[in-house]
Structures are given as C-alpha cells and as structure tokens.
Amino acid sequence: MTIHRSRKNGELNLLGLPCPYPEVLTAIKLREMHTNDVLEMVLDSPPSVGIIKNMAFKYKFSVILAEKVDTCTWKIIIKKW
Amino acid sequence: MLESYSYDQIVSLVPRYSLGCDSGKESVYFLRILIPNGIISTEQFKKIAEISKKFCNGYAEITTRQDIQMHYITGENAIEAFEILEELRLTTDKCGQARPIARYGDVRNIVGCPATGIDPKETLYCYPFVKKIKEVVTGNVDFLDLPRKFKISISGCSINCVSPEIQDLGLIALKNELGQAGFIAFLGGGTGPAPRIGRPLGLFIPQDELINVIVALLEVYRDYGKRENKALSRFKYFVDEWGVNKIREALHKRGFSLGTFDQKFPEISGREHIGINPMKQMGLYYMNVPTVRGRLTYDQLVGIAGIAEEYGWHEIRLTPFQNFIITGIKREDFNVVLSKIEKLGFHFSDSPMRCMALACAQEFCRLSVTSDSVSQRLDEIIRHLENKFSIKLGSLDIKLSISGCPSACSRYPIADIGLQAVRHTENGVIHECYNIYVGGGLGHSPRFGRLVEQAVDKENVKVFLEKLVSAYLCKSTSNESFSDFCKKRTLSELKVLMEA
C-alpha cells in the first residue's frame, strides 16, 4: 500500500552484475531520490542483498521489501521518507 | 566521487572488473588484481602500492595464482581503483562465486613460471602465450559465463613450479622426438573438495595451435559443462564425465589434427625457484625473496619496486609460492640488495621450507572455519622446527601448507605436510584444530596427502610435526625424499611416529 501512494521513480535491473556494481548503481540512484520516491530493483548477487539493505539503513531510507523471488533472484524496494 | 561517473561508464567496467566478498577483519570486499604470469613492471607495482595505500589500508597479498589481492576496499572506491587499473592495463577476477548457480565463471589469472625467459634450463619462453590467451579472454563475453571459474597454467620450466597437474588446464612446454617445442596438457586437476590430478590429454600441441586449442577447450566446457548443480560443475567433473577420449574427439571435430603423444607426468613438479640463481642472460642473476605468506605492506611494495628499479630489470615477478623475484641483478650488487631487502623486513633464505610454505587468506575469507590465524600458525610451526633442528632443516625439501577451510587455496593436498583447519566439539566446547595430511606431492608419481591425524589441537600441531620430521631425519635412507619416506609407511606407522 505504501508503495502505491509513493512515486515509483526508479527501477534497476541488476541481474548478472557482480560485486560491487549492484551496490554502486543503487547508491547513485539513492542520491537522486526525493522524499516519497521509491526504487525497485532485481538482482542475483546474494552478498549484494545484505549490502544494499545496510546501505539503505545507513542513509536512513526504508527497505519496504526484500524478498527472494526464486532460487537466485531477489527483489528489493527502497523508499525515501 | 561516484557522482562523476555515468551509469554507462560504470557498467562498461563490468566485463573486466569486479570485487570479491570478504567476511573477516571488517573487510567487506577484496580486490584481486590479475598479474599474468606474475610479471609486473615496477611502474605498475608502484601504482598498485598507491591503490593499497589509498583504498586498502596499505596492505596487499601475493596469492598462489600470482595475483595481488587487497582488502578493505569499499564499493564506491572500487570504481576509482578500476579506472586506475584500466590505465595500467590490468584487470581483476570476475566474481561469480557467491551465486548459488553455475554461471559467470571466468578464466582466472593465467599462471606461468616466474623465471620464464631467464631460466637457462627452460624449454620454451612461455610468457608470450600467457599474454596472448589473456588478450583473447579478457572482457570477452564468450568466456565470462562458463559454468565455473577456469584455471590455466602455461610453463616450460624444469621444475614445473606452477603445478600443472592441479590446474583445470595445465600446459607444459616440451620438445617432441623431432626436437620441435610444443605443449602437452593435463585436464581437470584441482585441489579443493574431491581433489583430482589432471588427466593427460595425450596429444602434442604445436605452438601455433596452442591458443586455438585453449579456446576450443573453453568453448567445449562452456557449451557442454553441467550447470544443474553448482557443486558439480567445475571442469574436473566435466573431465570425469566425458573422459579424455571424448574431449580429444571434440577437438578433432573442430578441425584440429594433433598427433598423439605418450604423455607422462613430469619428473619434478610443484617446487619453487629458490635462492639466487644465474639467468640465461650472461652475468645476471635473479633473486627469490620469501615473504611471510605473501603479506606485504605499502612500504614494502614501494621498497621492492625501488630495489628492482635501482638494481634490476624494472620488473617484479610473483611466484606461485607467494614470494617475489627481482631479476637482472649483478653479482657485485648482491650484498647491497640483500641488505635493502632485510631493511624492508624480509628475511632472505634459501630454506625450501621457508620458501615453499603456503597459507590462504583465511582471516578475510567467508569460507574459513577457524579464527586461528593460519598464516601466523604456519610461521610459528616453521620457527619451532627451525629451532629444534637448526641447520638440518635448512637443507630439507619439505613443503608445508595450511588452509582455513577444505577449499584448499593453499593446496594442502599436494604438500608434503598439509594442515586443514577444522572445528572439533567436545563436551559442548568448540576447539580450534587441524587435520594433518602427509605425503602429498606432484612429479612422476603424483599423489594427494593422506589424512594421518584428525582434529589435532592447534597448539599441539607443531609437536606432532616435530616428531615426524625427527623420525624422517633419523630413519630415512639416503636421498629419500620426505614424501617418499611417508609413502612407504602405513597410516598407523605414521601415527605412531607422530604420537611417539
């Protein structure tokens, strides 16, 4: 619900990218975000999932969703308050 | 800093650069820089020293694949480091290890004899072949999605220092009966879980066919290697499944017409170019300096480059035994070079045990099962044995290796004495211990070490080894190697010797 009320300003397809690219490309996106913006990403690098969640926490963003879609794909949604 | 890069700029680096994941000492990532054949100019070496100082806490390691590996780098700093490496025409490993699927395997640093081109006994100067295959695979999307990583060695040295029998593809230069220099190959070797000695291909590969044959083998593995199960997708399992004959057929179908070759295992393999040795270039010498398991500080990196520039060939050669070689030294400069080496904190030695001791980067590794520093543990063991046996040990050709997990990055299965960290639980208490493997080795009769002692308390390992070495010194016949001494004895006999 929170997602629908927000502006989904970005999507990132990070599939196939090794470390540190998922983290780096997410960091760039996060800096461009405004209040209530939402960023949705898919990725398949397991270490990046934890790193991105930690980064969002560090920058005081909310991780709205971080779920395993299938055996090797994750979806993460981050919102800036 | 990241703001200065566009999305496309960053993504353009992907095929050539990545970081691996650390899990210790508060390091999140490692940066593993490929140094083909271990040969690097002093200019490149100094720039790498600067990367280590700026981004990696002034610390670096020489790996057993002749890479330079650093830790503590952040994701954001990595992009700047990659750009510096691009200017230096250096690349990194491509990290696909963390994925739960058999994808994104790449060709790892191509190892070669660090004495190539300078060793008077070398069959063939192999560095040009290493550079050529590196050019073919680097950033080439055709070879960035192999089922798993792929390890190649190319060398023609008399002691096969790169251990070709434990590579995915080990290539040895030799001459055929017509006196033509070419290559033979070992396929599907490896020292991790379920170790394998490479299987002889049994074909003679002419020099002008070598690169095409390597490419063909990579394509066969990429196209037919199993991807269903990551744990069973390394090339060694592919060779198990297909067998050498089917691989030979695949090469034949691709148009290769290679003559058969009665391929035997090399007489000597997997030993180090120890000490100061004459080069084939008259009047010049190369000096192999043992390190403490490849660990180098920023000051040491800069200092090594300075010595090589002042007294050598403006290059540094990294060895598969985590040591470095300075080339092109004149005899009259020996003393001053040795003095400068000592001032940097290295202890020059031609003791085989010191020069061939290997340890993994356990303290940073996510696979490690121990908090015991394997590097320090190995150093302690060597010092203990040196103190106990003094001069005798200096001449003993014993290869020691220690690993923090079963993946065997330090190749303990082929060491004379191999130590593998394990955890042992007793009465609910976890003890840091080591399994002791004995009698591994390559050469004419390659074999993996046998597990003689399980879960020996870390403080007692040195005592067990002291007893074994003592027995060898007392009971071995003349010219009997340590490995052969162990081979002749049953596990029970070896246990008795160690526990006496």
Side-chain angles (χ1 to χ4, degrees):
Chain A
M1 267 70 80
T2 316
I3 303 168
H4 293 151
R5 282 205 301 274
S6 307
R7 195 155 57 98
K8 186 169 144 187
N9 84 318
E11 286 179 329
L12 272 178
N13 180 349
L14 304 169
L15 294 173
L17 295 180
C19 292
Y21 299 100
E23 174 197 342
V24 168
L25 296 172
T26 303
I28 291 173
K29 276 281 184 190
L30 292 184
R31 286 171 197 180
E32 295 168 354
M33 286 169 71
H34 304 290
T35 303
N36 282 335
D37 281 353
V38 166
L39 174 65
E40 182 176 321
M41 65 202 84
V42 284
L43 64 159
D44 58 2
S45 167
S48 299
V49 176
I51 290 168
I52 288 171
K53 281 161 70 177
N54 287 340
M55 184 169 61
F57 179 73
K58 186 175 143 193
Y59 291 142
K60 301 192 172 14
F61 286 60
S62 293
V63 177
I64 293 171
L65 181 79
E67 70 173 13
K68 201 169 182 179
V69 179
D70 57 43
T71 49
C72 53
T73 311
W74 283 260
K75 185 191 223 179
I76 301 178
I77 300 176
I78 293 173
K79 179 175 181 179
K80 182 171 184 179
W81 292 99
Chain B
M1 188 62 197
L2 268 184
E3 292 77 5
S4 58
Y5 299 103
S6 70
Y7 179 92
D8 289 342
Q9 264 180 311
I10 292 172
V11 171
S12 73
L13 294 167
V14 173
R16 297 174 308 287
Y17 300 97
S18 77
L19 300 178
C21 285
D22 268 338
S23 179
K25 299 193 87 172
E26 299 182 354
S27 173
V28 175
Y29 293 121
F30 66 81
L31 172 68
R32 187 181 293 148
I33 304 165
L34 310 186
I35 312 296
N37 213 126
I39 300 176
I40 179 170
S41 73
T42 51
E43 277 307 310
Q44 290 172 314
F45 205 71
K46 285 190 290 188
K47 287 273 175 59
I48 286 177
E50 293 308 318
I51 292 175
S52 98
K53 185 179 185 181
K54 193 168 180 183
F55 305 124
C56 305
N57 286 9
Y59 172 80
E61 296 154 353
I62 302 169
T63 76
T64 55
R65 291 199 72 75
Q66 299 169 300
D67 314 277
I68 297 178
Q69 182 167 279
M70 298 187 267
H71 306 271
Y72 302 109
I73 191 160
T74 65
E76 296 204 4
N77 288 338
I79 304 302
E80 192 180 336
F82 293 164
E83 294 236 308
I84 298 169
L85 291 174
E86 184 115 282
E87 284 170 20
L88 298 174
R89 301 177 66 81
L90 294 170
T91 60
T92 70
D93 262 356
K94 291 284 293 138
C95 179
Q97 292 291 298
R99 289 186 169 80
I101 49 174
R103 288 199 63 183
Y104 307 120
D106 65 327
V107 176
R108 293 299 165 101
N109 195 36
I110 299 158
V111 296
C113 170
T116 192
I118 58 175
D119 175 9
K121 294 178 190 163
E122 184 179 45
T123 310
L124 186 67
Y125 178 46
C126 290
Y127 188 36
F129 299 99
V130 172
K131 283 196 285 191
K132 184 64 191 166
I133 193 64
K134 166 77 176 154
E135 271 172 33
V136 171
V137 299
T138 298
N140 184 341
V141 290
D142 288 346
F143 305 112
L144 292 177
D145 194 8
L146 304 174
R148 294 290 301 278
K149 59 190 168 185
F150 194 89
K151 299 180 176 179
I152 301 173
S153 73
I154 307 175
S155 69
C157 89
S158 56
I159 55 173
N160 290 291
C161 63
V162 296
S163 306
E165 307 94 318
I166 54 155
Q167 309 287 333
D168 289 311
L169 174 58
L171 294 150
I172 301 177
L174 48 65
K175 288 183 177 166
N176 65 10
E177 65 277 9
L178 300 173
Q180 298 162 326
F183 293 88
I184 58 169
F186 290 92
L187 306 177
T191 56
R196 300 278 194 285
I197 297 291
R199 275 58 54 99
L201 179 62
L203 298 174
F204 184 78
I205 308 168
Q207 293 176 54
D208 57 0
E209 292 277 35
L210 182 71
I211 303 302
N212 292 334
V213 167
I214 295 172
V215 167
L217 289 169
L218 288 170
E219 287 172 347
V220 167
Y221 176 48
R222 178 196 64 200
D223 296 341
Y224 300 102
K226 283 195 169 174
R227 293 177 185 260
E228 294 82 22
N229 184 337
K230 184 181 175 185
L232 298 176
S233 55
R234 284 293 301 269
F235 188 62
K236 61 185 171 186
Y237 298 114
F238 178 73
V239 177
D240 288 355
E241 187 197 343
W242 268 39
V244 167
N245 283 341
K246 193 170 172 184
I247 293 173
R248 285 165 62 153
E249 277 172 30
L251 289 174
H252 186 68
K253 279 181 190 165
R254 284 165 183 257
F256 292 101
S257 179
L258 305 172
T260 55
F261 195 82
D262 182 18
Q263 186 177 327
K264 297 181 176 67
F265 284 98
E267 190 178 346
I268 301 170
S269 184
R271 315 310 279 192
E272 174 70 311
H273 297 272
I274 287 167
I276 301 174
N277 299 285
M279 290 169 44
K280 69 166 75 158
Q281 292 77 9
M282 194 64 80
L284 296 176
Y285 296 80
Y286 68 93
M287 182 184 289
N288 182 323
V289 181
T291 67
V292 181
R293 270 37 83 201
R295 273 68 169 163
L296 302 172
T297 64
Y298 167 77
D299 289 340
Q300 288 175 328
L301 290 163
V302 173
I304 293 165
I307 295 170
E309 284 182 344
E310 198 171 349
Y311 301 98
W313 268 5
H314 291 238
E315 66 171 20
I316 293 141
R317 299 187 177 206
L318 312 176
T319 86
F321 288 88
Q322 300 177 292
N323 302 322
F324 66 89
I325 286 173
I326 297 176
T327 54
I329 304 173
K330 294 180 187 139
R331 179 178 280 277
E332 58 266 32
D333 291 331
F334 283 178
N335 286 340
V336 67
V337 170
L338 285 171
S339 160
K340 284 178 180 276
I341 289 287
E342 297 273 339
K343 273 186 189 161
L344 287 174
F346 300 106
H347 174 61
F348 179 79
S349 165
D350 55 7
S351 149
M353 184 174 280
R354 279 219 168 260
C355 295
M356 295 196 292
L358 291 174
C360 63
Q362 151 274 333
E363 57 268 53
F364 295 99
C365 181
R366 67 191 167 89
L367 300 176
S368 174
V369 298
T370 183
S371 60
D372 191 39
S373 166
V374 297
S375 170
Q376 287 175 15
R377 182 66 54 194
L378 189 59
D379 215 37
E380 184 204 9
I381 290 167
I382 292 171
R383 273 188 278 110
H384 177 80
L385 295 175
E386 283 177 341
N387 287 339
K388 287 286 172 188
F389 302 109
S390 63
I391 297 167
K392 281 181 189 168
L393 196 67
S395 57
L396 284 182
D397 195 6
I398 295 179
K399 189 160 71 174
L400 268 172
S401 169
I402 189 165
S403 275
C405 81
S407 295
C409 292
S410 67
R411 307 176 186 156
Y412 66 80
I414 57 160
D416 294 310
I417 298 172
L419 304 173
Q420 178 209 342
V422 288
R423 280 185 179 169
H424 175 63
T425 307
E426 198 172 305
N427 299 327
V429 180
I430 296 172
H431 297 271
E432 306 260 8
C433 299
Y434 288 91
N435 286 343
I436 303 178
Y437 293 80
V438 165
L442 299 177
H444 54 87
S445 57
R447 54 188 177 265
F448 294 118
R450 288 178 291 163
L451 177 58
V452 180
E453 294 283 354
Q454 289 193 60
V456 176
D457 186 87
K458 62 185 180 185
E459 301 300 339
N460 292 335
V461 172
K462 59 179 181 286
V463 182
F464 277 63
L465 298 188
E466 176 195 328
K467 288 175 181 171
L468 181 62
V469 172
S470 175
Y472 169 65
L473 290 171
C474 296
K475 297 182 181 182
S476 61
T477 55
S478 62
N479 293 329
E480 185 178 35
S481 73
F482 181 81
S483 184
D484 286 339
F485 172 83
C486 296
K487 185 184 171 187
K488 283 199 320 206
R489 286 161 173 81
T490 65
L491 284 178
S492 318
E493 287 170 336
L494 289 167
K495 273 175 91 72
V496 167
L497 293 179
M498 276 205 239
E499 294 170 10

